[in-house]
Amino acid sequence: MTDETPGAPAPYAPAAEGTVAVYRGATLFDGTGAPARGSTSIVIDGPVIRAVGDDAEIAVDLPADARVFDLDGRFVIPGLIDSHQHIATPPDRPAAEAVLRRLVHGGVTAIRDMADDLRQVGDLARATLVGEIPGPDIRYAALMAGPGFFDDPRTHQVSQGETPGAVPWMQAVTKDTDLRIAVALARGTHASAIKVYADLDHETVAAITEEAHRQGVPVWAHATVFPAAPGQIVAAGADSVSHVTLLAFEGTDEPLTSYKTKPKVDHERFAAGDDPRIEELFALMRQRGTVLDATAGMWASGALAGEGPEDEERAAANTALAAVLTAQAHRAGVEIATGTDYETDAEDPFPALHEELAFLVERCGMSPAQVLRSATLIGARSAGAEDVMGSVEAGKLANFVVLEDDPLRDIANLRSVTLTVKRGRRFERRDFERAASGAARPEGVQGHGAEAPAAARLVEETGPAGETRPVEETR
């Protein structure tokens, strides 16, 4: 460590505190549950939102040196959150950086990484936070499971050079494990949560959850942990549960023995969307405030499909099951977060989260407004970050997305994104498209205090005291 003065800021660093910018003329869906409103200004000071209000009222109190971006009625939503990502199974730094770049240019300002090689994920989280690389903020989990799980090849991929189950980010838990130390080791990885995965009974799940909460750490669990059933996991106090299709094991008549020996799901039992045992489970989740990380569109994506007809049949059956159970959860008032657990092909211009949101609207009976709330405020809640992100409000991070077309009319209009603002830093969609087409130019030079984007139109506006200030019309 030295006392040398830091050098130049990282190329994608958050906007500097004290640098004021206003995005005026927005049609704002703020994520709080309020209806969209027009003629709205968002004032940011560095990485944080200072004020949100009517254009005319905001204009009266702007400092003379504020940088003004005229949105001309364009739609603004909070930054999207993918609540189920894996960016280092196995570790591949170039691939991970490419995914993160596409995510932030596609409107995603935060993700939950659900247990990977945290040696790499921790550094990626640092790099996106300080702006060394473009990407969303990363909240990540350290995993706990029973010893029988750790011959899974994925655990070897994320523990290379070490023993799976015997590292702080991936621990095998038994009745003899000192959970105070186990949770403390997980906290030492700077993990945001403990992920409870597989091969643990409900008493152990409850003990892990109790100790994690005692140490101030949330618990993100698989919806069935085998032999622990969904209702037992929710009753144990898990803050969120992942994979809606795993809820089908609630109240099964067959024993839940281990992750590898799952009983066959009776899909017909759930086809009407009114199974009473599932309804009781959803009532408990609503009562406890348990967030459902549904990953509803995962099977429809083809990411898990094999090549044979049996694989296609399984994917189709699980797609239908996911749609029915997610719709039932929504009707029951369960809070649903928008996780993916897969990514689209590298050539696809948009990340998988766009497909998940479309699936929730088209197959699960949710309106675009409800889906946007799930992808923003509920996503932030699932990540334990609702105090700083998930809505466009004063005091929260300056994380929002500018769209040409109305996403409340058609969720597919999320693909009309022109700009993502993350911690006050601008990520222009056109820069990503130029890079994808092989005509890239340097990014990261368009934030506050830097040269204006070439495609922005600079004009002068007369301020309330007669001064002039630059106004940039964002296209």
Side-chain angles (χ1 to χ4, degrees), residues 366-387:
M366 298 176 69
S367 71
Q370 291 164 339
V371 168
L372 288 177
R373 180 174 178 272
S374 288
T376 54
L377 191 66
I378 306 307
R381 188 174 301 163
S382 76
E386 189 180 356
D387 58 328

PDB file of all heavy atoms in Angstrom, residues 366-387:
ATOM      1  N   MET A 366     -49.145 -11.889 -16.446  1.00  0.00           N
ATOM      2  CA  MET A 366     -48.717 -10.644 -15.824  1.00  0.00           C
ATOM      3  C   MET A 366     -48.755  -9.517 -16.854  1.00  0.00           C
ATOM      4  O   MET A 366     -48.461  -9.725 -18.022  1.00  0.00           O
ATOM      5  CB  MET A 366     -47.309 -10.797 -15.243  1.00  0.00           C
ATOM      6  CG  MET A 366     -47.208 -11.837 -14.141  1.00  0.00           C
ATOM      7  SD  MET A 366     -45.506 -12.098 -13.521  1.00  0.00           S
ATOM      8  CE  MET A 366     -45.201 -10.533 -12.688  1.00  0.00           C
ATOM      9  N   SER A 367     -49.132  -8.338 -16.400  1.00  0.00           N
ATOM     10  CA  SER A 367     -49.133  -7.181 -17.297  1.00  0.00           C
ATOM     11  C   SER A 367     -47.711  -6.655 -17.446  1.00  0.00           C
ATOM     12  O   SER A 367     -46.841  -6.922 -16.604  1.00  0.00           O
ATOM     13  CB  SER A 367     -50.026  -6.083 -16.731  1.00  0.00           C
ATOM     14  OG  SER A 367     -49.422  -5.503 -15.579  1.00  0.00           O
ATOM     15  N   PRO A 368     -47.431  -5.885 -18.497  1.00  0.00           N
ATOM     16  CA  PRO A 368     -46.098  -5.290 -18.610  1.00  0.00           C
ATOM     17  C   PRO A 368     -45.698  -4.471 -17.390  1.00  0.00           C
ATOM     18  O   PRO A 368     -44.550  -4.525 -16.958  1.00  0.00           O
ATOM     19  CB  PRO A 368     -46.211  -4.423 -19.870  1.00  0.00           C
ATOM     20  CG  PRO A 368     -47.226  -5.135 -20.712  1.00  0.00           C
ATOM     21  CD  PRO A 368     -48.234  -5.654 -19.726  1.00  0.00           C
ATOM     22  N   ALA A 369     -46.639  -3.725 -16.808  1.00  0.00           N
ATOM     23  CA  ALA A 369     -46.309  -2.927 -15.623  1.00  0.00           C
ATOM     24  C   ALA A 369     -45.922  -3.827 -14.457  1.00  0.00           C
ATOM     25  O   ALA A 369     -44.974  -3.527 -13.707  1.00  0.00           O
ATOM     26  CB  ALA A 369     -47.492  -2.040 -15.237  1.00  0.00           C
ATOM     27  N   GLN A 370     -46.642  -4.929 -14.279  1.00  0.00           N
ATOM     28  CA  GLN A 370     -46.307  -5.857 -13.195  1.00  0.00           C
ATOM     29  C   GLN A 370     -44.951  -6.522 -13.426  1.00  0.00           C
ATOM     30  O   GLN A 370     -44.172  -6.709 -12.484  1.00  0.00           O
ATOM     31  CB  GLN A 370     -47.409  -6.903 -13.076  1.00  0.00           C
ATOM     32  CG  GLN A 370     -48.726  -6.348 -12.560  1.00  0.00           C
ATOM     33  CD  GLN A 370     -49.909  -7.277 -12.806  1.00  0.00           C
ATOM     34  OE1 GLN A 370     -49.867  -8.151 -13.685  1.00  0.00           O
ATOM     35  NE2 GLN A 370     -50.966  -7.098 -12.035  1.00  0.00           N
ATOM     36  N   VAL A 371     -44.674  -6.851 -14.674  1.00  0.00           N
ATOM     37  CA  VAL A 371     -43.391  -7.475 -14.993  1.00  0.00           C
ATOM     38  C   VAL A 371     -42.254  -6.490 -14.774  1.00  0.00           C
ATOM     39  O   VAL A 371     -41.186  -6.861 -14.244  1.00  0.00           O
ATOM     40  CB  VAL A 371     -43.401  -8.022 -16.428  1.00  0.00           C
ATOM     41  CG1 VAL A 371     -41.999  -8.394 -16.879  1.00  0.00           C
ATOM     42  CG2 VAL A 371     -44.325  -9.232 -16.513  1.00  0.00           C
ATOM     43  N   LEU A 372     -42.437  -5.234 -15.152  1.00  0.00           N
ATOM     44  CA  LEU A 372     -41.401  -4.243 -14.928  1.00  0.00           C
ATOM     45  C   LEU A 372     -41.142  -4.039 -13.438  1.00  0.00           C
ATOM     46  O   LEU A 372     -39.989  -3.853 -13.017  1.00  0.00           O
ATOM     47  CB  LEU A 372     -41.768  -2.920 -15.594  1.00  0.00           C
ATOM     48  CG  LEU A 372     -41.679  -2.891 -17.116  1.00  0.00           C
ATOM     49  CD1 LEU A 372     -42.139  -1.545 -17.642  1.00  0.00           C
ATOM     50  CD2 LEU A 372     -40.255  -3.181 -17.590  1.00  0.00           C
ATOM     51  N   ARG A 373     -42.181  -4.078 -12.641  1.00  0.00           N
ATOM     52  CA  ARG A 373     -41.980  -3.986 -11.185  1.00  0.00           C
ATOM     53  C   ARG A 373     -41.177  -5.184 -10.684  1.00  0.00           C
ATOM     54  O   ARG A 373     -40.284  -5.041  -9.839  1.00  0.00           O
ATOM     55  CB  ARG A 373     -43.331  -3.920 -10.481  1.00  0.00           C
ATOM     56  CG  ARG A 373     -43.240  -3.823  -8.956  1.00  0.00           C
ATOM     57  CD  ARG A 373     -44.609  -3.625  -8.326  1.00  0.00           C
ATOM     58  NE  ARG A 373     -44.550  -3.566  -6.879  1.00  0.00           N
ATOM     59  CZ  ARG A 373     -44.607  -4.611  -6.076  1.00  0.00           C
ATOM     60  NH1 ARG A 373     -44.750  -5.837  -6.594  1.00  0.00           N
ATOM     61  NH2 ARG A 373     -44.543  -4.474  -4.767  1.00  0.00           N
ATOM     62  N   SER A 374     -41.489  -6.375 -11.222  1.00  0.00           N
ATOM     63  CA  SER A 374     -40.739  -7.566 -10.831  1.00  0.00           C
ATOM     64  C   SER A 374     -39.270  -7.446 -11.219  1.00  0.00           C
ATOM     65  O   SER A 374     -38.378  -7.895 -10.485  1.00  0.00           O
ATOM     66  CB  SER A 374     -41.348  -8.813 -11.497  1.00  0.00           C
ATOM     67  OG  SER A 374     -42.587  -9.152 -10.907  1.00  0.00           O
ATOM     68  N   ALA A 375     -39.017  -6.861 -12.387  1.00  0.00           N
ATOM     69  CA  ALA A 375     -37.652  -6.765 -12.915  1.00  0.00           C
ATOM     70  C   ALA A 375     -36.868  -5.618 -12.303  1.00  0.00           C
ATOM     71  O   ALA A 375     -35.679  -5.461 -12.613  1.00  0.00           O
ATOM     72  CB  ALA A 375     -37.698  -6.604 -14.431  1.00  0.00           C
ATOM     73  N   THR A 376     -37.499  -4.829 -11.457  1.00  0.00           N
ATOM     74  CA  THR A 376     -36.814  -3.667 -10.876  1.00  0.00           C
ATOM     75  C   THR A 376     -36.911  -3.701  -9.354  1.00  0.00           C
ATOM     76  O   THR A 376     -35.990  -4.176  -8.685  1.00  0.00           O
ATOM     77  CB  THR A 376     -37.388  -2.368 -11.457  1.00  0.00           C
ATOM     78  OG1 THR A 376     -38.830  -2.334 -11.273  1.00  0.00           O
ATOM     79  CG2 THR A 376     -37.108  -2.263 -12.944  1.00  0.00           C
ATOM     80  N   LEU A 377     -38.034  -3.276  -8.793  1.00  0.00           N
ATOM     81  CA  LEU A 377     -38.151  -3.182  -7.343  1.00  0.00           C
ATOM     82  C   LEU A 377     -38.069  -4.546  -6.666  1.00  0.00           C
ATOM     83  O   LEU A 377     -37.381  -4.711  -5.652  1.00  0.00           O
ATOM     84  CB  LEU A 377     -39.457  -2.480  -6.969  1.00  0.00           C
ATOM     85  CG  LEU A 377     -39.583  -2.082  -5.500  1.00  0.00           C
ATOM     86  CD1 LEU A 377     -38.546  -1.018  -5.145  1.00  0.00           C
ATOM     87  CD2 LEU A 377     -40.981  -1.571  -5.194  1.00  0.00           C
ATOM     88  N   ILE A 378     -38.755  -5.556  -7.217  1.00  0.00           N
ATOM     89  CA  ILE A 378     -38.709  -6.879  -6.590  1.00  0.00           C
ATOM     90  C   ILE A 378     -37.348  -7.530  -6.811  1.00  0.00           C
ATOM     91  O   ILE A 378     -36.833  -8.233  -5.942  1.00  0.00           O
ATOM     92  CB  ILE A 378     -39.847  -7.784  -7.114  1.00  0.00           C
ATOM     93  CG1 ILE A 378     -41.201  -7.089  -6.933  1.00  0.00           C
ATOM     94  CG2 ILE A 378     -39.848  -9.115  -6.391  1.00  0.00           C
ATOM     95  CD1 ILE A 378     -41.470  -6.608  -5.520  1.00  0.00           C
ATOM     96  N   GLY A 379     -36.739  -7.267  -7.961  1.00  0.00           N
ATOM     97  CA  GLY A 379     -35.380  -7.749  -8.174  1.00  0.00           C
ATOM     98  C   GLY A 379     -34.421  -7.177  -7.152  1.00  0.00           C
ATOM     99  O   GLY A 379     -33.554  -7.889  -6.616  1.00  0.00           O
ATOM    100  N   ALA A 380     -34.557  -5.889  -6.869  1.00  0.00           N
ATOM    101  CA  ALA A 380     -33.711  -5.271  -5.844  1.00  0.00           C
ATOM    102  C   ALA A 380     -33.978  -5.891  -4.481  1.00  0.00           C
ATOM    103  O   ALA A 380     -33.043  -6.132  -3.698  1.00  0.00           O
ATOM    104  CB  ALA A 380     -33.964  -3.767  -5.809  1.00  0.00           C
ATOM    105  N   ARG A 381     -35.237  -6.175  -4.189  1.00  0.00           N
ATOM    106  CA  ARG A 381     -35.573  -6.810  -2.908  1.00  0.00           C
ATOM    107  C   ARG A 381     -34.947  -8.189  -2.817  1.00  0.00           C
ATOM    108  O   ARG A 381     -34.415  -8.586  -1.770  1.00  0.00           O
ATOM    109  CB  ARG A 381     -37.091  -6.890  -2.769  1.00  0.00           C
ATOM    110  CG  ARG A 381     -37.595  -7.359  -1.416  1.00  0.00           C
ATOM    111  CD  ARG A 381     -39.113  -7.247  -1.349  1.00  0.00           C
ATOM    112  NE  ARG A 381     -39.542  -5.866  -1.575  1.00  0.00           N
ATOM    113  CZ  ARG A 381     -40.786  -5.511  -1.888  1.00  0.00           C
ATOM    114  NH1 ARG A 381     -41.725  -6.443  -2.034  1.00  0.00           N
ATOM    115  NH2 ARG A 381     -41.087  -4.246  -2.066  1.00  0.00           N
ATOM    116  N   SER A 382     -34.989  -8.945  -3.897  1.00  0.00           N
ATOM    117  CA  SER A 382     -34.406 -10.289  -3.886  1.00  0.00           C
ATOM    118  C   SER A 382     -32.905 -10.240  -3.654  1.00  0.00           C
ATOM    119  O   SER A 382     -32.317 -11.181  -3.107  1.00  0.00           O
ATOM    120  CB  SER A 382     -34.702 -11.008  -5.212  1.00  0.00           C
ATOM    121  OG  SER A 382     -33.878 -10.532  -6.263  1.00  0.00           O
ATOM    122  N   ALA A 383     -32.269  -9.154  -4.075  1.00  0.00           N
ATOM    123  CA  ALA A 383     -30.820  -9.003  -3.915  1.00  0.00           C
ATOM    124  C   ALA A 383     -30.442  -8.340  -2.598  1.00  0.00           C
ATOM    125  O   ALA A 383     -29.256  -8.130  -2.340  1.00  0.00           O
ATOM    126  CB  ALA A 383     -30.258  -8.192  -5.082  1.00  0.00           C
ATOM    127  N   GLY A 384     -31.432  -7.992  -1.784  1.00  0.00           N
ATOM    128  CA  GLY A 384     -31.146  -7.304  -0.528  1.00  0.00           C
ATOM    129  C   GLY A 384     -30.659  -5.891  -0.741  1.00  0.00           C
ATOM    130  O   GLY A 384     -29.905  -5.359   0.074  1.00  0.00           O
ATOM    131  N   ALA A 385     -31.112  -5.261  -1.838  1.00  0.00           N
ATOM    132  CA  ALA A 385     -30.596  -3.942  -2.200  1.00  0.00           C
ATOM    133  C   ALA A 385     -31.711  -2.950  -2.479  1.00  0.00           C
ATOM    134  O   ALA A 385     -31.499  -1.955  -3.183  1.00  0.00           O
ATOM    135  CB  ALA A 385     -29.685  -4.059  -3.418  1.00  0.00           C
ATOM    136  N   GLU A 386     -32.889  -3.173  -1.941  1.00  0.00           N
ATOM    137  CA  GLU A 386     -34.029  -2.300  -2.225  1.00  0.00           C
ATOM    138  C   GLU A 386     -33.808  -0.885  -1.704  1.00  0.00           C
ATOM    139  O   GLU A 386     -34.420   0.065  -2.198  1.00  0.00           O
ATOM    140  CB  GLU A 386     -35.295  -2.885  -1.594  1.00  0.00           C
ATOM    141  CG  GLU A 386     -36.575  -2.189  -1.985  1.00  0.00           C
ATOM    142  CD  GLU A 386     -37.804  -2.807  -1.345  1.00  0.00           C
ATOM    143  OE1 GLU A 386     -37.664  -3.833  -0.649  1.00  0.00           O
ATOM    144  OE2 GLU A 386     -38.907  -2.256  -1.545  1.00  0.00           O
ATOM    145  N   ASP A 387     -32.908  -0.726  -0.732  1.00  0.00           N
ATOM    146  CA  ASP A 387     -32.657   0.609  -0.199  1.00  0.00           C
ATOM    147  C   ASP A 387     -31.876   1.496  -1.155  1.00  0.00           C
ATOM    148  O   ASP A 387     -31.908   2.723  -1.026  1.00  0.00           O
ATOM    149  CB  ASP A 387     -31.910   0.507   1.140  1.00  0.00           C
ATOM    150  CG  ASP A 387     -30.583  -0.230   1.015  1.00  0.00           C
ATOM    151  OD1 ASP A 387     -30.484  -1.135   0.162  1.00  0.00           O
ATOM    152  OD2 ASP A 387     -29.650   0.084   1.775  1.00  0.00           O
TER     153      ASP A 387
END
